[in-house]
Amino acid sequence: MKLSDLKTIIKEEFDFTGSDLDETTAREIDIMIDMGHELLAFQEGKYEYSIKPQAELRKKLLALDNQSSIKEPEGAFADLIDNNLGVNFMRDALPNESSGSFLNALIDLDNLLSAMGYQDGKYTDEQYKAATEYYESRRRELF
């Protein structure tokens, strides 16, 4: 099944009717989950076709980051990638389920919602709840 088909199924299962989830938040969550899928594909060896698999993953993650409306300081995301894809990445990486893993850094909902202003009162409690419910529905694809 293609990732786009899976996204369609998830969105159909997630009841947006009367939901307070806004499109921007949903899109940002989708981007994070797509990054998670790319990392898992890399870890599963699906980048072995590439001469430089880590460089290919880096390129794909940066392309996804460029789709985001949230802009971090210049080079910050590239640094995060580079720091996590070091020479001994596969040997030294924390398990994906670990709170300090590269995967969890890519799909960190708290940081996303903070960057979007959820903690600054720009969104209601209902919108926060809708965002976390949508995130959890998408996150299940990864674990």
Side-chain angles (χ1 to χ4, degrees), residues 93-136:
L94 291 170
N96 287 333
E97 296 80 14
S98 171
S99 62
S101 72
F102 185 30
L103 176 62
N104 277 306
L106 292 174
I107 64 167
D108 187 348
L109 181 65
D110 290 335
N111 281 340
L112 171 68
L113 297 182
S114 177
M116 293 184 72
Y118 273 77
Q119 280 90 7
D120 299 334
K122 293 180 181 177
Y123 295 86
T124 65
D125 289 343
E126 291 78 16
Q127 288 171 310
Y128 180 84
K129 183 179 179 197
T132 57
E133 287 174 359
Y134 181 67
Y135 171 77
E136 287 302 324

Side-chain angles (χ1 to χ4, degrees), residues 1 12 14 18 21 45 50 67 90 109 113 118 130 136 140:
M1 177 179 293
E12 287 173 0
F14 187 84
L21 182 67
S50 176
Q67 295 174 22
M90 294 304 278
L109 181 65
L113 297 182
Y118 273 77
E136 287 302 324
R140 283 191 286 264

Side-chain angles (χ1 to χ4, degrees), residues 2 7 9 14 20 27-28 30 38 50 54 62-63 68 70 90 109 112 116 126 136 138-139:
K2 292 181 190 174
K7 280 186 189 176
I9 291 168
F14 187 84
D20 290 300
R27 185 184 73 246
E28 295 297 334
D30 290 343
E38 290 298 335
S50 176
Q54 289 175 314
L62 288 172
S68 174
I70 299 168
M90 294 304 278
L109 181 65
L112 171 68
M116 293 184 72
E126 291 78 16
E136 287 302 324
R138 291 294 320 274
R139 186 178 181 273

Side-chain angles (χ1 to χ4, degrees), residues 11-138:
K11 286 183 179 181
E12 287 173 0
E13 289 178 2
F14 187 84
D15 184 11
F16 284 94
T17 309
S19 173
D20 290 300
L21 182 67
D22 66 276
E23 284 185 38
T24 301
T25 303
R27 185 184 73 246
E28 295 297 334
I29 290 170
D30 290 343
I31 290 169
M32 285 191 332
I33 299 300
D34 289 349
M35 287 181 183
H37 280 289
E38 290 298 335
L39 178 60
L40 292 176
F42 173 82
Q43 291 172 338
E44 293 166 2
K46 294 181 180 167
Y47 279 73
E48 290 179 1
Y49 66 87
S50 176
I51 295 171
K52 296 183 177 181
Q54 289 175 314
E56 184 69 21
L57 174 61
R58 183 182 193 277
K59 179 180 165 185
K60 287 191 177 191
L61 292 176
L62 288 172
L64 286 166
D65 186 57
N66 284 336
Q67 295 174 22
S68 174
S69 60
I70 299 168
K71 301 302 173 198
E72 52 280 305
E74 183 77 29
F77 188 67
D79 288 345
L80 172 72
I81 296 169
D82 294 341
N83 290 335
N84 281 281
L85 290 180
V87 175
N88 298 315
F89 167 68
M90 294 304 278
R91 188 190 74 203
D92 296 339
L94 291 170
N96 287 333
E97 296 80 14
S98 171
S99 62
S101 72
F102 185 30
L103 176 62
N104 277 306
L106 292 174
I107 64 167
D108 187 348
L109 181 65
D110 290 335
N111 281 340
L112 171 68
L113 297 182
S114 177
M116 293 184 72
Y118 273 77
Q119 280 90 7
D120 299 334
K122 293 180 181 177
Y123 295 86
T124 65
D125 289 343
E126 291 78 16
Q127 288 171 310
Y128 180 84
K129 183 179 179 197
T132 57
E133 287 174 359
Y134 181 67
Y135 171 77
E136 287 302 324
S137 74
R138 291 294 320 274

